Amino acid sequence: MDPGGSPGEGAERVRVGERPRPRVDLKALFGLQSGAWAWTTAVQAALSMSLSFALATWAFGSEVGTLAALGSMTVLYEKKTPYAYRSAALALVGLGFVASVALGSLAAALAPWAPVVSIGLTAGIATWVCAAWRVDRPGPLFFVLVGAISTIAPGGVADVPFHAGVAAVGAAIGWAVSMSGAPVRARHPEYRAVAAAYRQLAALLRAVGTPDLDHAQHEASVAVAEAWRIVLLAQTRGYRTTPEAARLRSLLRWVSDVHLVTTQVCMARPARLPGEAADFADRMASAVAAPSRAPDPEELDELRRGLRPRSLESRLYGQLARAAQAVRRTSHEDDERAATLHDQRYPALWDALRSSLGRDSLVRPTALRMWITVTAAGAFGLWMGLDNYYWIGLTTTAVLQAGSVVLTMNRALQRSLGTMVGVFLGAAVIALHPPLSVVIVLAGLFQGLTQLVVGRNFFYASVMVTPMALLLSFTAAPEPITDLAQSRIIDTVVGSVFGLLGSVLLWRRASATRLPQAIVSVLRTARECILEVLDQDVEISPERRYRLRRDMRAALVNLRGVYDSAIGDAPRASSTLPLWPVVVATQRTGYLALSALARDKPEPTGIITLQRVDLAFRELISSLEERRTPRMGALPRLPAYPRINMELRALSSAMTSAVAQDERAARQEAERRAQRERRRAQGDVDADL
């Protein structure tokens, strides 16, 4: 297969992009991140809170009506999943809210210190379950908010079932509002996920030959993996046999295949692609839900003119043209890409919880950090005599959700500054003594505004969410507005400080220590893919091919996530910074292995070549595990996949440089330690004299 490029030119490796650099600056604090405004979520959040708050207030009174408003926050979860799956998932979220309210209400009735324990326990368990079950944002935050505010609801032990029931009413309303789109746009989540994969494919095509290539490759892989997950969740018994489901499966497999061909082009082409290719992919995204908008496949004929038929660029344009034909097709009965997906529809929830507690999982230290820090922050507030110490735990939870130390610092500053502004806004509203009906409308309005901006900047979301929380807590337990505002500011600052301390002191290097293992996981999966592709005695079934692709994508996405978390730790581990070239070479090797899982079989490979490829992968894996320089021999020639050899050599070179820097850093640290010991010894001698 022609790897691309001009005849007579030597192979050229695509340059490595700049590594991620998380910073604490004005742009990070107040700038808007890229993305769309969450109008749908904002409207649903405002409507859900206002309805539940009003209904519960009318039926049970305003003091416990806030519990229904809190329960309505189920509408904020599972916003991207298919409605059939969402109905069950939101029911579990609602049960979680009810359990949080019951635990907080019970703790408040037992002893003054019990709410500290309940809020910390809620934060830890919610963090664990949300991370293990891949619950999207806002994650554990609103479980803690619900549990925290329920601690100030009036009543005793006998009122706990009543409080839980009121929260269940709100959760039911949130469920109904979230599911309201099912009758009119039943398949909107699946169409949106597949269209997003095509849009990220277009972004990847635009990034070919630019320094942003490695970052765009990661984003495209995440989008394709997410589209597979969403479409798989939608395969209910009565739906998966319909023509609509077959069409979506076909489009999903097409975007996956085009992404693999694009990966080969990315690694072989240092120059940019014509902009028409990316525009074509963008129009494909619009045609996912509207076939009439599909671009004409003949539009790519001009790009293919003059290319060798077996060149990578020609294959890419050919795949795009065939994908456009599939979009325009009315029937997919004879389309093999429309066949049933080879996987279980529902994830194994119990297995996910169990695997999240393993040694190599980041979920366990993250949940423990959350539990310990939130409990310690609440205990400190109780010891200091702060009246509303539950707000400290809530702030700590919001800050710790950022992940790395640098992002936690950003969150702490955004939360503190946003709360200060929001407190004055909320205090001004409460000082006007608005009627209860206005309070209900304003609480829903602030909730909607929070969801509108939270995806773009956490500072502005903090400004909006603070008045909402003030209105709810003031309605549940009225107190002088000056005391309420003052305590909110103090509690927020204390909670932010504790969140920052927790990220620095507890398992700060959890991501850095797991980074080598994440690299090894990618290499092992890539080795498995390459060997099965090259071995002529192995016939890869469609199901086996799908599982290899799934596992390879999951390992690649996990590697980048672990690195992004590790690079944000501060003080940064000296062993993390030099690993960016290693991570890039590993990613590229994995993506090339992923693209090798094409439907066509390469030319026969000898057993000696197969053994040497296996030996090269094993040597790289063992050198990473043993933290030593790899001892690589001559790599065999792979005419069908020449770029794999190039990236393996680049990986070996990057690992050698990283090990050398580690050894140099270790020597410098030993020298500094010896100097400190000599100065200390000299100081002891001078003191004796």
Side-chain angles (χ1 to χ4, degrees), residues 156-238:
V157 175
D159 295 309
V160 172
F162 173 63
H163 292 166
V166 174
V169 171
I173 293 176
W175 182 94
V177 172
S178 181
M179 295 293 296
S180 60
V184 292
R185 298 194 303 173
R187 300 300 163 188
H188 178 67
E190 299 96 285
Y191 284 119
R192 180 173 56 185
V194 177
Y198 277 100
R199 290 192 183 93
Q200 287 298 332
L201 174 64
L204 176 60
L205 291 171
R206 291 189 177 94
V208 173
T210 70
D212 296 329
L213 172 63
D214 294 299
H215 306 297
Q217 178 69 276
H218 170 70
E219 295 297 330
S221 188
V222 170
V224 171
E226 181 67 5
W228 274 98
R229 185 179 80 93
I230 296 300
V231 174
L232 183 63
L233 289 175
Q235 302 301 300
T236 57
R237 180 175 301 177

Side-chain angles (χ1 to χ4, degrees), residues 618-640:
R618 290 183 182 275
E619 172 59 22
L620 289 170
I621 291 171
S622 61
S623 61
L624 262 170
E625 292 176 334
E626 299 169 9
R627 309 295 175 88
R628 61 172 174 82
T629 301
R631 297 183 288 270
M632 295 283 289
L635 290 171
R637 184 172 177 269
L638 299 175

Side-chain angles (χ1 to χ4, degrees), residues 369-624:
R369 180 194 299 126
M370 183 71 76
W371 170 49
I372 294 173
T373 307
V374 172
T375 303
F380 177 81
L382 182 64
W383 176 66
M384 290 293 294
L386 301 177
D387 295 333
N388 298 313
Y389 56 84
Y390 67 88
W391 192 263
I392 298 177
L394 177 62
T395 302
T396 304
T397 302
V399 169
L400 280 178
Q401 273 193 276
S404 65
V405 175
V406 173
L407 296 180
T408 300
M409 174 67 79
N410 280 331
R411 276 268 180 141
L413 292 174
Q414 288 174 325
R415 182 72 179 183
S416 299
L417 297 175
T419 299
M420 290 180 185
V421 177
V423 160
F424 287 109
L425 181 60
V429 172
I430 295 175
L432 296 176
H433 303 290
L436 186 57
S437 59
V438 175
V439 171
I440 292 173
V441 173
L442 288 177
L445 177 62
F446 283 123
Q447 171 73 323
L449 291 174
T450 300
Q451 301 311 312
L452 179 65
V453 302
V454 67
R456 307 292 301 275
N457 187 285
F458 188 68
F459 166 75
Y460 303 112
S462 298
V463 173
M464 294 294 104
V465 77
T466 301
M468 183 269 290
L470 283 175
L471 289 171
L472 293 181
S473 59
F474 183 81
T475 304
E479 59 179 296
I481 185 57
T482 54
D483 296 342
L484 185 63
Q486 182 180 4
S487 65
R488 281 295 180 273
I489 294 176
I490 296 175
D491 296 343
T492 299
V493 173
V494 173
S496 299
V497 171
F498 266 88
L500 185 58
L501 289 176
S503 66
V504 172
L505 300 178
L506 299 177
W507 292 280
R508 177 178 56 83
R509 296 191 57 184
S511 298
T513 56
R514 285 162 174 78
L515 183 57
Q517 185 57 41
I519 297 174
V520 167
S521 178
V522 171
L523 291 178
R524 281 179 175 159
T525 311
R527 168 186 166 273
E528 187 177 7
C529 295
I530 292 297
L531 293 182
E532 292 203 21
V533 168
L534 295 179
D535 193 343
Q536 298 299 311
D537 296 331
V538 174
E539 185 66 29
I540 306 178
S541 65
E543 183 176 358
R544 176 62 177 166
R545 191 184 303 274
Y546 162 75
R547 294 188 183 279
L548 287 173
R549 287 184 177 183
R550 179 197 62 189
D551 296 343
M552 189 75 259
R553 277 201 179 95
L556 287 165
V557 171
N558 177 68
L559 169 61
R560 183 57 185 270
V562 172
Y563 181 81
D564 288 346
S565 179
I567 203 65
D569 289 338
R572 292 173 179 167
S574 59
S575 59
T576 302
L577 295 178
L579 287 180
W580 174 241
V582 176
V583 170
V584 171
T586 304
Q587 279 186 313
R588 292 181 177 181
T589 301
Y591 283 121
L592 288 171
L594 188 64
S595 65
L597 292 168
R599 297 178 182 273
D600 52 341
K601 198 76 172 176
E603 297 178 359
T605 302
I607 187 65
I608 301 300
T609 298
L610 205 61
Q611 291 175 347
R612 290 170 64 188
V613 171
D614 185 22
L615 183 62
F617 272 101
R618 290 183 182 275
E619 172 59 22
L620 289 170
I621 291 171
S622 61
S623 61
L624 262 170

